[in-house]
Structures are given as structure tokens and as C-alpha cells.
Amino acid sequence: MAGGAGGGGADGRGTARVALFPLPFQGHISPMLQLAGALRARGLAVTVLHTAFNAPDPARHPGLAFVAVPDAIPEAAAAANGIAKILALNAAMEASGRVRAALASLMAAEGQPRLACLVLDSTLPAAQKAAAGLGLPTLVLHTGSAACFRLFRSYDMLHHRGYLPSTESNLDMPIEELPPLKVSDLFDPSKLPSKEIGQKILDLATETTTSSSGAILNTSEALEPHELKLIRDELAPKGIPPFAVGPLHKLAAGDGAGETTSLLEQDRGCVEWLDAQAPGSVLYVSFGSVARVTRDEFLEVAWGLASSGRPFLWVVRRGLVLGVDERPPELPEGFGAAAAGRGRVVEWAPQQEVLAHPAVGGFWTHSGWNSTLESVYEGVPMLSRPQFGDQLATGRYVADSWKVGVLLEGAVERGAVETAIRKLMEDEEGEGGAMRGRAGALKEKVRMSVERGGSSQQAVDKLVDHMLSL
Ligand code: UDP
């Protein structure tokens, strides 16, 4: 690993501490904890602030200090849907003043290294305001792609040029300023029940960056060189250097290795099942921690998998099916028999291990950014079925920019599912084979960026220098 590993000291790095505050959702907590591991490996002391809601388990991260910020998210807010929850969390943090109190006590702690800065999730302006009030510099972690970073900063342009609000007739229109995106790939706030709330969430990420001393992106020069150049050109003159340090789940190799960041218990029994499957034969299916499907869609997925004839490992987590929250959703009658001997269903999988397994030959994903990076890193081609937010743009990049997957568009219907699976999983002759080849080449490029001297390792070195200079 590049940079000073271990306790630091010789280069002065052991004399500084940084605080990190993730948004309490799986897809945001994981990259923040992975970043924590990478900073610790460079000799910084790291304290993670967190809410009681979705609190990480300190026992799994012995090298990090944890500080719970009490009551940062009230129960009513925890029950709200995604975007409303983020806004409620910010409001509660600002009203209670507890983040400020926690930061003040870290800054005043005697016998501790100096607190150099706070790294916050881009959607937590309340934490940024608390830090600013204490004169503590902040950096912002963006847990999505560089493409998505640019997209979220382009909404004025998208409205001004008439791409948004979208209409039935302009969905296929390419966005010349943001290739390869089309209007249908945009998160359109006007389609939400509350347009204002949708726009607010876009504004949050933009504002926190503008008020920060640096932007940390979980992506790699190997994946998004053009997008990163444009971001650098925009931000660097404003004194906000961007750092492309991804894929973070592989950056902290060594010191942070083996520390799972999963909030849910992972069912490792499926790895033994994979051991018994032929190389490249299994389709892994997971829609992440937040996306939900209707009961009808769930049935179409089930029957599409059953009739594809391919072995599959399917994550059916609690809450996946709308209206069924308390228990795991029931599989349709006859499904077990139809998939007998080649299907395995689990509530939550050790996903990184699954994607790295030689038996896995394809990944049906909701195109969450962490899942996409994990798949790219293992060279697994994807069947992308994005649902909302940044997933839509990521699905487009997978299919049209990197060409390492196919998009499943339109209504989820068992026949279309079966066809898409066959296309993805087919052997070397067809399109599936070509995709597999490109996924293998992209994997090599991305791996180089996190190896010693690679672009992401260099970016973390620069990030640490920058933090120490604040
Ligand atoms: N994940 C997991 N087990 C599962 C499904 C997902 O550990 O069965 C992890 C996955 O490895 C990824 C995260 O959950 O790191 C999901 O993040 P992503 O950004 O892909 O999607 P989100 O859940 O935020 O929509």
C-alpha cells in the first residue's frame, strides 16, 4: 500500500485526527467506513460520528473510535421514506445542537491528536454547519459516481435547456452536455409527490460541496477520466480539490481488510452452495438495501429466474416487496420445484465475496453505485435494472459507456427477464461473451488504480496531505 501505513509518527501523520460522519444508510455507511480504514492505514487517528439509527458495530472496526450522537434522528423521521428521512435527519441535528457538541468535545479532548477536519456525507449540511460554527474545516464524501456528481450539479442547465421536466415525447432524447445520458436516465424531481423535496436533495449535495475544503469521490480515473477532468476543471479554481479514491472497498487492503461494513447479518451458507456450481454459471441477483418492488414485479422476477434455466443466487431481503415489511416475502407456489437444484434464495449475502466467486458469471443489480463498483472490480457483467436517483445514470454508463452490461428497460415481465438473462449469461460466442471480455479488461484497469502507486492510492496520499494542511 502506498503512503505511511500503521501508526504514523515519522511523517507527522500520527499527530492528527479526523472525524467522519456518514449518512446512516448501507450504501453511504460502507464507503465512509472504508475511507476511515484507508485514512487510518495512513497513520491518521479516525473518529466516526454516527446516529443510533443504523449504528455501525464498533467491535467490527477495532482501529476506529466511534461516537454516538444521541437522538440525532427521531423515531418518526426514521420511519419516513428515503429523501424525507434525510431532510428530517438534518433538521433534527440542527435543532438539537448535538453534532456541534460532539465535535466541540472532540476538539477540546486533551491528550488526543489535533482534530484536522470533518468528512461528512454530501447530504448532511447540518453536520457541515455545526463544524463551520466551530471553525473546523470540512470535506465532503460523494458516494455516487463522478457522472452523477456532474449530473446533480447540472439541474439548472437541464431545466434551462428544456430537458426537464421530462415529457412522454422527450424521454429518448440524448443529453448532449452529459453523454451518454438520455432524458429517461434523469432523476426528475417533478415526478415525485413533492417536487420541492426532490429538488432540495439535489441542492444539498451541491451546497455542501461548495462550502467544503475538498470533494472525495468513490470512483477511479480508470472508470471516469473525462468526468473527473471536468469536475477538476470546475472545482479546483474554487479551492475545492477533488480526490478520486475509489473503489473504496478495495482501497484499504491490508489494515482495513476483512472488516465487513454490512449492517445486516450476511448468510455465508450461500458461498458453500456457490462452491458446488460450475465456473461462471451463476446469476447473482440483488436489488441492494433500499429499492423495493411491487408484489407483481416480484412474481415476474421469480418466474423469469425459474424459466431462464440458469443457476441463480437471489437476495430477497425483508422489506423488498412493497406492503410486506415484517417478514421475508413469500415466494410463489411452485417456485421451489421449478428452480429445484439450481436456485438459492438468501435474506442478505456477503456480496463482495459472492461477486468474487468463480461460479458467478453475471449480476442482476439495481445499479446502486457500490454494487456497480463491486461488480466492475470482479469483472462480472451486469443486468441493470435501475429504479431511481443516481441508479438510472449508472445503469446507462454500464450499458452504453463501459458496455459491460445490458439494461432491462420497460415493465418487468417474465419473458423479457428470461431473454435478458440468457443474453447476459450466454457463452463466449454471442454478445454476452463480448461483454464478459470488456468486463475483464475494465477490471484490470480499475484494479491498477488501487494497487501500489495507482491513481486512487496517489489520490489518498494527496488527500491526507491536504487534510494535514487545513
Ligand atoms: N449488500 C450486501 N449483501 C446483500 C446485498 C447488498 O452486503 O445481500 C451490500 C453491497 O455489497 C453494497 C451495498 O450493500 O455494498 C449496497 O449498496 P448500493 O450502493 O449498491 O445500493 P443501495 O443499497 O445504497 O441502494
Side-chain angles (χ1 to χ4, degrees):
M1 165 164 254
D11 54 2
R13 290 171 184 229
T15 56
R17 164 180 296 266
V18 291
L20 271 52
F21 201 158
L23 183 75
F25 292 113
Q26 182 69 73
H28 293 249
I29 286 180
S30 287
M32 190 66 96
L33 290 175
Q34 290 152 1
L35 176 67
L39 296 175
R40 187 191 58 177
R42 255 67 173 183
L44 294 180
V46 180
T47 300
V48 178
L49 303 181
H50 63 88
T51 56
F53 167 71
N54 273 351
D57 178 1
R60 288 188 174 161
H61 310 279
L64 307 176
F66 286 84
V67 172
V69 181
D71 304 325
I73 182 161
E75 241 171 75
N81 69 28
I83 296 180
K85 200 180 291 184
I86 296 172
L87 299 179
L89 171 61
N90 274 295
M93 287 201 299
E94 225 170 319
S96 79
R98 286 190 161 122
V99 181
R100 185 188 162 104
L103 288 173
S105 120
L106 280 179
M107 290 171 84
E110 283 184 23
Q112 295 280 346
R114 169 183 84 91
L115 188 65
C117 63
L118 170 70
V119 180
L120 51 103
D121 189 277
S122 63
T123 58
L124 292 181
Q128 188 170 48
K129 281 184 203 152
L134 295 163
L136 182 66
T138 54
L139 283 98
V140 172
L141 173 64
H142 291 267
T143 57
S145 66
C148 172
F149 181 96
R150 290 196 65 229
L151 169 59
F152 281 12
R153 297 174 75 78
S154 303
Y155 271 70
D156 282 348
M157 178 278 286
L158 292 168
H159 280 105
H160 186 68
R161 304 243 166 116
Y163 294 113
L164 289 176
S166 58
T167 59
E168 277 302 309
S169 59
N170 80 347
L171 288 176
D172 264 341
M173 186 186 283
I175 302 182
E176 277 167 32
E177 299 80 356
L178 298 169
L181 301 184
K182 297 187 200 178
V183 171
S184 57
D185 304 323
L186 302 177
F187 163 69
D188 184 352
S190 72
K191 301 291 179 287
L192 291 180
S194 165
K195 179 170 132 189
E196 289 71 29
I197 285 190
Q199 186 55 49
K200 237 179 188 162
I201 203 79
L202 294 167
D203 294 344
L204 289 191
T206 305
E207 283 165 21
T208 48
T209 302
T210 306
S211 309
S212 78
S213 301
I216 307 168
L217 288 101
N218 187 14
T219 188
S220 153
E221 294 288 346
L223 267 181
E224 302 186 276
H226 176 64
E227 290 75 7
L228 284 167
K229 183 190 176 307
L230 294 171
I231 290 171
R232 238 187 327 270
D233 289 351
E234 186 207 338
L235 294 186
K238 297 178 182 161
I240 309 168
F243 302 91
V245 297
L248 276 166
H249 73 289
K250 287 295 172 185
L251 195 78
D255 218 5
E259 290 176 3
T260 175
T261 56
S262 181
L263 294 168
L264 299 174
E265 202 55 48
Q266 297 175 320
D267 180 347
R268 296 208 64 260
C270 61
V271 177
E272 272 168 45
W273 179 82
L274 286 173
D275 289 343
Q277 309 302 318
S281 67
V282 176
L283 176 73
Y284 170 60
V285 186
S286 165
F287 308 134
S289 63
V290 184
R292 311 188 75 187
V293 296
T294 62
R295 178 77 194 160
D296 282 350
E297 286 168 336
F298 182 67
L299 296 180
E300 295 304 310
V301 175
W303 289 120
L305 288 173
S307 51
S308 72
R310 295 283 172 171
F312 62 87
L313 169 63
W314 184 15
V315 177
V316 178
R317 62 162 219 276
R318 273 162 214 257
L320 173 64
V321 177
L322 284 159
V324 191
D325 283 333
E326 301 309 324
R327 50 198 159 74
E330 271 170 41
L331 293 159
E333 219 182 306
F335 175 77
R342 62 180 176 82
R344 174 101 182 189
V345 176
V346 291
E347 264 194 56
W348 196 245
Q351 180 164 301
Q352 291 174 26
E353 206 178 332
V354 166
L355 288 168
H357 197 286
V360 172
F363 180 15
W364 180 356
T365 171
H366 69 307
S367 299
W369 184 239
N370 293 288
S371 293
T372 303
L373 282 177
E374 289 159 11
S375 202
V376 164
Y377 188 85
E378 301 301 342
V380 176
M382 285 164 265
L383 176 57
S384 303
R385 172 78 196 174
Q387 277 203 358
F388 53 74
D390 66 330
Q391 300 162 10
L392 301 159
T394 300
R396 178 65 58 198
Y397 267 71
V398 165
D400 290 6
S401 190
W402 307 313
K403 300 186 167 58
V404 295
V406 281
L407 262 178
L408 182 60
E409 293 180 284
V412 186
E413 182 275 316
R414 63 193 73 182
V417 167
E418 188 188 330
T419 309
I421 294 175
R422 286 182 192 276
K423 187 166 161 188
L424 181 77
M425 302 296 286
E426 71 194 358
D427 49 29
E428 304 312 312
E429 304 303 309
E431 213 177 307
M435 256 180 317
R436 195 151 291 117
R438 283 190 292 269
L442 189 61
K443 162 179 120 173
E444 294 309 326
K445 276 170 63 181
V446 169
R447 286 188 172 207
M448 276 171 64
S449 60
V450 286
E451 275 168 16
R452 194 183 178 89
S455 62
S456 297
Q457 295 292 359
Q458 288 183 31
V460 189
D461 286 338
K462 285 188 189 143
L463 171 63
V464 171
D465 287 344
H466 182 62
M467 287 171 156
L468 293 174
S469 74
L470 291 171

